Amino acid sequence: LHHCPLGGVRCIIRSTWTRLPGPLHAALGLPATREKRKKVVPTLQGILQAHFAAFQSKHKLPKRIRDAAGAIMSCRTAAMGGHVERCPEGHAERVWYNSCKHRSCPKCGHLPTERWIEKQKARLLACGHHHVIFTVPPELHALWRYNRERMMDVLFHCVRDTLFVLLGDERYGGLVPGLLCSYHSWGRDQGYHPHLHCRVTAGGRGKAGAWVPAKKANLLPYLVVRDLYRGKMIAAVRGALHSGELVLPP
């Protein structure tokens, strides 16, 4: 204990906290032992359980979003049912609730995700690769929301055709590249941002069937790729609209 120059008494408690005598704890109004604070880490399930109902009441959500949220909120709870593990001798017993197995669930999706990553790594060729990203302009986001599957099909085909046409040109190698594409529907800020990540081989199969390295260090000129991709995307969307394959948003 130290006397404070401004009056009163202050207590310096460090590593000797639990060594203070019981009466002194009581006199200072302190607990007899140190209470360890448990760090509470929020989970996606807890956040959805606490706020999803209120969010849903204010927003119109598609069925796939409602289904995903419902599965995550119910995962490994009594709502999913479960089974009992019991020792035959009666020494121990515990209840295990079933998992939702939804691909968006952090609890269920970790192992399948790791397996998927390993599978994709095994498919990569032993060569250099380029990372190319193709985005969908905001002007098409409303159309995308109402025609998700068809628009995604359009995106993949336009990206593939753009890369194959340009890399098949003798000026850029005259080759057929290897592609590994992954679709993302959001950006870094978690906002809606459909785009395609492409892993493109730095070379490919030439006309003679042999491996041909890419001629350019940066694979393809940006402006050339942009203009061709934009033209193919606009033409594909217009064609799908004229054929009645797309539903216009209200």
Side-chain angles (χ1 to χ4, degrees):
L1 294 176
H2 298 271
H3 288 279
C4 177
L6 299 179
V9 178
R10 62 174 180 165
C11 181
I12 306 299
I13 302 174
R14 290 288 185 263
S15 60
T16 57
W17 176 277
T18 56
R19 299 178 187 174
L20 292 175
L24 182 57
H25 276 87
L28 296 174
L30 299 173
T33 58
R34 181 191 295 272
E35 294 183 1
K36 294 183 178 179
R37 295 182 180 180
K38 294 183 178 180
K39 185 178 180 180
V40 179
V41 179
T43 63
L44 179 60
Q45 183 183 53
I47 294 172
L48 289 175
Q49 288 173 341
H51 306 290
F52 182 73
F55 182 83
Q56 185 179 7
S57 65
K58 299 179 181 179
H59 300 82
K60 187 176 181 180
L61 303 175
K63 183 178 183 299
R64 59 186 175 84
I65 300 297
R66 300 195 304 271
D67 290 346
I72 294 172
M73 288 188 288
S74 301
C75 186
R76 302 183 189 184
T77 67
M80 296 294 295
H83 57 277
V84 178
E85 286 187 352
R86 183 181 295 111
C87 172
E89 303 297 330
H91 297 141
E93 177 180 311
R94 57 183 177 180
V95 178
W96 292 93
Y97 293 122
N98 296 331
S99 57
C100 67
K101 295 182 174 61
H102 195 281
R103 66 185 185 91
S104 298
C105 178
K107 294 181 180 179
C108 302
H110 178 72
L111 183 58
T113 298
E114 292 300 318
R115 288 173 176 169
W116 181 87
I117 292 174
E118 291 302 317
K119 182 179 179 180
Q120 305 313 313
K121 286 181 178 179
R123 297 175 64 185
L124 293 175
L125 298 179
C127 66
H129 289 79
H130 294 272
H131 183 199
V132 186
I133 303 175
F134 292 85
T135 63
V136 177
E139 292 80 4
L140 295 179
H141 285 184
L143 192 63
W144 186 286
R145 290 178 185 274
Y146 281 84
N147 304 271
R148 185 169 174 268
E149 293 184 4
R150 184 66 185 94
M151 289 294 292
M152 191 178 299
D153 187 58
V154 167
L155 175 62
F156 271 87
H157 278 84
C158 289
V159 168
R160 181 201 61 186
D161 292 347
T162 297
L163 292 173
F164 273 39
V165 166
L166 291 177
L167 289 173
D169 192 314
E170 291 296 336
R171 291 175 294 176
Y172 306 116
L175 53 88
V176 178
L179 298 178
L180 183 61
C181 303
S182 177
Y183 168 72
H184 287 191
S185 60
W186 61 89
R188 292 183 178 179
D189 60 352
Q190 302 301 307
Y192 194 65
H193 178 54
H195 59 283
L196 204 62
H197 288 261
C198 303
R199 189 89 164 173
V200 188
T201 54
R205 188 185 66 201
K207 293 181 179 180
W211 178 265
V212 177
K215 289 186 176 181
K216 303 289 185 178
N218 60 347
L219 191 64
L220 292 167
Y222 165 73
L223 295 179
V224 175
V225 176
R226 184 198 65 181
D227 292 344
L228 182 59
Y229 166 68
R230 179 186 294 172
K232 287 185 175 295
M233 193 72 175
I234 293 174
V237 171
R238 284 177 176 170
L241 284 171
H242 291 159
S243 62
E245 300 177 57
L246 298 178
V247 178
L248 289 174

